[in-house]
Amino acid sequence: GALSMWGDRMWHFAISVFLIELYGRNLLLTAVFGLVVAGSVLLLGALIGDWVDRNPRNKVAHASLFIQNISVTICSIVLMLVFSYKQRIEQIWDGWLTVVCYTVVIVLADVANLASTALTIAIQRDWIIVITGYNRGHLAGMNATMRRIDQVTNILAPLAVGQVMTLASNVVGCGFILGWNLVSLIVEFFFLSRVYRIVPALSVKPPTAEVGLANLQGMNRSGSQGEGQVVQPVAEGDSDARLRLKEMTYLPLCLRRFRWLVSTCKDGWRSYYQQPVFLAGMGLAFLYTTVLGFDCITTGYAYTQGISGSFLSVLMGVSAITGLMGTVMFTRLRKTYGLINTGIISSCLHLGCLLLCVCSVFAPGSPMDLSLLMPYFTSNSSSEVGGMANQRQKHTSASRGGSNQPLLPDRSSIHWTNNTVLFDNVPSGSAPESYTSIILLFMGVITARIGLWSFDLTVTQLLQENICESERGVVNGVQSSMNYLMDLLHFIMVISAPQPQHFGILVLISVLFITTGHTMYFLYAHKAKRKRRLDT
């Protein structure tokens, strides 16, 4: 797990830097890559999960690991060639070879991400449950340990590859990632095989709907050969499968495959909706629609408010410590109050800390200006056309000032450090009159991570404990799709309101989404407790 997470974090950081370096002073390739990655998981999440369910555990883990590492390796080779011979490549086919190289890089990186998603579902959502012997206490400890490893690698892995790229070059950075993936592939393959042999229960897997459909086909064939055989009663689900099978046999092969893919996705989403922990999973997904995290959006805003890059690095270190505190708190709360109550406590702590972020919107030093959201309607309705034109001119001239720098400026002033955008030169006039607002904002973001990661672990274990073993893959695949969908919404929010003066609005919308997510969890907890009382 540590090797896999280290490689993932290192690659996710490096590919963003490489894409920006390839396209010069533009974030277009990075934006396209992010859209492709989110869209592919959104569309294929259920199919990936279904594939995990239908195949033996060792085959799924080894295939996902191989595809992921080989994709990254080939992508690194392509990037090394592009960086080394960029000028020559731009002259071939009137520059179209460059476009082909960009496309190959993005496609390979997306394939690697899909394989990583499959590996994560297989190991962290299925293998762990079997390895711990379905013991809830051991499962909670293993989940917390994996999350601690993830938190540490999230800080150290990008720093490591970033130092290589800074001290050497992008070509050397690609070579470093290439070598790491080849070595990691061998080591991880050995460890996974070793664990599979040590835990015999991993080789036992319940039949899925696909297996049942295959048995139904065999039953139909055997029935045509002899009428003397006794046929077992067919369940309602098997009857539906038989009708679908009969309909699909009259279609061409390509249409049958496409219809099967659509049917699998539909069944996956339906299965997700029918899970008893559906509301808890949806609540977790809603937490992804937020600007209140240490990503490029929030740190970019902090920079426009006069916060230095070195101080932001310190804040990121503190946030990592609070995240680790959340994993410790989860294990202790679960032992004392139970899993469902741990989620309630974590939700309340998370929301309570985010109130500091809400206060920061209205505190001294906040740049929020609601009039910028309606630049053409701030003047009186009875004003003349000339007055309206003057009003527009005022907003246009104001947007050119330092205080209206967009949250993501151009490439010329960007340094990339651990998924954080830092900038060289503070725009003139960007320092606020008071730092009260930005202090409250980061106090809320940092302290909220304690409740956030405790809540995340709570929902993760609820999904592990309550999802049928034959549906773990597809349900967790749909959960990944939901997470990516809600994450896309937060980027759409920033695109719609990109100025620092809009950030307060984004904070309030983020808190609204987070509150909605926790409310869904409260509803789930209420239903689960009521059901438990009725059962007793």
Side-chain angles (χ1 to χ4, degrees):
L3 287 172
S4 179
M5 292 177 191
W6 183 281
D8 284 347
R9 296 297 188 179
M10 192 166 59
W11 173 245
H12 289 161
F13 169 80
I15 187 64
S16 299
V17 180
F18 291 151
L19 290 175
I20 287 182
E21 290 291 344
L22 284 178
Y23 211 64
R25 298 170 176 266
N26 202 306
L27 297 169
L28 177 63
L29 279 184
T30 307
V32 170
F33 171 66
L35 182 62
V36 169
V37 166
S40 60
V41 177
L42 177 61
L43 294 175
L44 304 177
L47 294 176
I48 292 173
D50 180 73
W51 176 74
V52 172
D53 286 333
R54 287 187 294 107
N55 291 279
R57 290 188 173 98
N58 61 334
K59 178 183 176 181
V60 169
H62 291 157
S64 302
L65 178 64
F66 181 80
I67 294 173
Q68 178 190 9
N69 284 267
I70 294 302
S71 297
V72 173
T73 300
I74 298 174
C75 190
S76 299
I77 295 174
V78 174
L79 286 169
M80 292 175 68
L81 294 174
V82 173
F83 281 127
S84 301
Y85 305 100
K86 187 175 182 180
Q87 293 182 348
R88 294 184 184 180
I89 292 175
E90 289 176 347
Q91 297 173 358
I92 300 176
W93 299 347
D94 295 329
W96 281 102
L97 182 58
T98 305
V99 177
V100 173
C101 291
Y102 292 162
T103 305
V104 170
V105 168
I106 290 177
V107 170
L108 287 173
D110 183 47
V111 171
N113 183 73
L114 292 174
S116 175
T117 301
L119 187 61
T120 300
I121 292 173
I123 302 300
Q124 298 186 29
R125 301 295 185 266
D126 183 31
W127 280 45
I128 283 182
I129 305 173
V130 180
I131 290 172
T132 55
Y134 300 89
N135 183 291
R136 294 182 176 182
H138 294 166
L139 180 60
M142 183 69 79
N143 285 331
T145 300
M146 297 292 284
R147 189 51 49 86
R148 289 166 195 155
I149 295 173
D150 183 57
Q151 289 289 304
V152 174
T153 55
N154 189 31
I155 298 294
L156 298 182
L159 287 177
V161 69
Q163 289 300 313
V164 173
M165 294 163 58
T166 302
L167 298 177
S169 64
N170 289 326
V171 175
V172 176
C174 292
F176 177 75
I177 293 175
L178 188 154
W180 174 274
N181 275 273
L182 290 178
V183 174
S184 178
L185 173 62
I186 298 173
V187 177
E188 289 183 62
F189 196 96
F190 170 77
F191 281 140
L192 286 174
S193 301
R194 177 76 173 163
V195 171
Y196 189 79
R197 288 195 301 269
I198 292 175
V199 185
L202 288 172
S203 61
V204 180
K205 205 169 186 180
T208 61
E210 181 70 16
V211 177
L213 188 60
N215 292 338
L216 184 61
Q217 289 177 307
M219 210 162 50
N220 289 336
R221 288 194 295 268
S222 62
S224 61
Q225 294 174 358
E227 298 180 358
Q229 290 181 316
V230 178
V231 180
Q232 297 293 332
V234 179
E236 183 179 354
D238 291 337
S239 177
D240 294 338
R242 174 180 286 179
L243 291 176
R244 289 201 302 268
L245 177 63
K246 187 175 181 180
E247 293 175 358
M248 292 172 62
T249 53
Y250 297 103
L251 296 174
L253 180 61
C254 59
L255 291 179
R256 273 185 285 172
R257 288 293 179 89
F258 177 75
R259 186 167 181 176
W260 176 82
L261 292 175
V262 174
S263 176
T264 301
C265 289
K266 184 174 68 174
D267 292 342
W269 284 88
R270 183 187 296 115
S271 177
Y272 176 75
Y273 174 75
Q274 293 174 347
Q275 294 298 318
V277 290
F278 163 72
L279 286 174
M282 281 293 294
L284 179 63
F286 266 70
L287 268 58
Y288 280 76
T289 308
T290 178
V291 296
L292 301 174
F294 275 92
D295 57 4
C296 57
I297 306 300
T298 305
T299 50
Y301 167 77
Y303 176 80
T304 65
Q305 300 305 299
I307 304 299
S308 65
S310 59
F311 188 63
L312 279 172
S313 300
V314 173
L315 293 178
M316 290 192 64
V318 175
S319 72
I321 295 175
T322 57
L324 294 175
M325 291 171 58
T327 63
V328 175
M329 187 184 77
F330 163 74
T331 55
R332 296 186 177 181
L333 287 178
R334 195 205 65 84
K335 289 180 181 179
T336 306
Y337 301 103
L339 190 59
I340 294 179
N341 289 330
T342 297
I344 295 175
I345 297 172
S346 302
S347 296
C348 294
L349 179 60
H350 189 204
L351 291 173
C353 293
L354 290 181
L355 290 178
L356 294 173
C357 299
V358 175
C359 294
S360 72
V361 176
F362 308 99
S366 174
M368 187 176 70
D369 185 2
L370 295 177
S371 63
L372 287 177
L373 294 176
M374 298 181 294
Y376 303 113
F377 300 98
T378 53
S379 59
N380 190 284
S381 59
S382 61
S383 299
E384 297 294 331
V385 176
M388 294 180 65
N390 291 335
Q391 188 72 11
R392 294 181 188 179
Q393 186 176 1
K394 289 179 182 179
H395 288 297
T396 304
S397 61
S399 64
R400 295 172 182 168
S403 61
N404 273 317
Q405 294 293 327
L407 297 180
L408 288 177
D410 61 32
R411 171 69 183 88
S412 60
S413 60
I414 296 181
H415 289 309
W416 292 83
T417 305
N418 188 31
N419 297 328
T420 304
V421 181
L422 307 179
F423 310 100
D424 279 334
N425 303 313
V426 179
S428 58
S430 64
E433 297 178 356
S434 172
Y435 286 95
T436 303
S437 176
I438 197 70
I439 290 173
L440 288 174
L441 175 68
F442 277 97
M443 282 181 60
V445 171
I446 292 173
T447 56
R449 293 176 74 85
I450 301 175
L452 171 64
W453 289 117
S454 179
F455 179 77
D456 179 90
L457 286 169
T458 300
V459 177
T460 297
Q461 184 154 344
L462 284 171
L463 293 172
Q464 291 170 332
E465 292 181 359
N466 292 277
I467 296 174
C468 175
E469 186 174 358
S470 62
E471 295 180 335
R472 282 178 192 158
V474 67
V475 173
N476 281 287
V478 175
Q479 181 66 49
S480 298
S481 298
M482 283 300 307
N483 295 345
Y484 272 94
L485 173 62
M486 303 308 291
D487 190 46
L488 270 178
L489 291 181
H490 112 268
F491 284 109
I492 295 174
M493 284 164 44
V494 177
I495 293 172
S496 303
Q499 302 297 337
Q501 288 81 355
H502 302 155
F503 192 78
I505 303 298
L506 299 182
V507 169
L508 297 178
I509 295 175
S510 299
V511 173
L512 180 61
F513 269 93
I514 292 172
T515 303
T516 303
H518 287 305
T519 302
M520 290 182 177
Y521 180 81
F522 294 150
L523 291 174
Y524 160 76
H526 175 71
K527 290 182 178 180
K529 289 184 176 182
R530 185 177 61 180
K531 182 179 179 181
R532 186 177 301 174
R533 287 195 300 267
L534 293 176
D535 292 340
T536 55

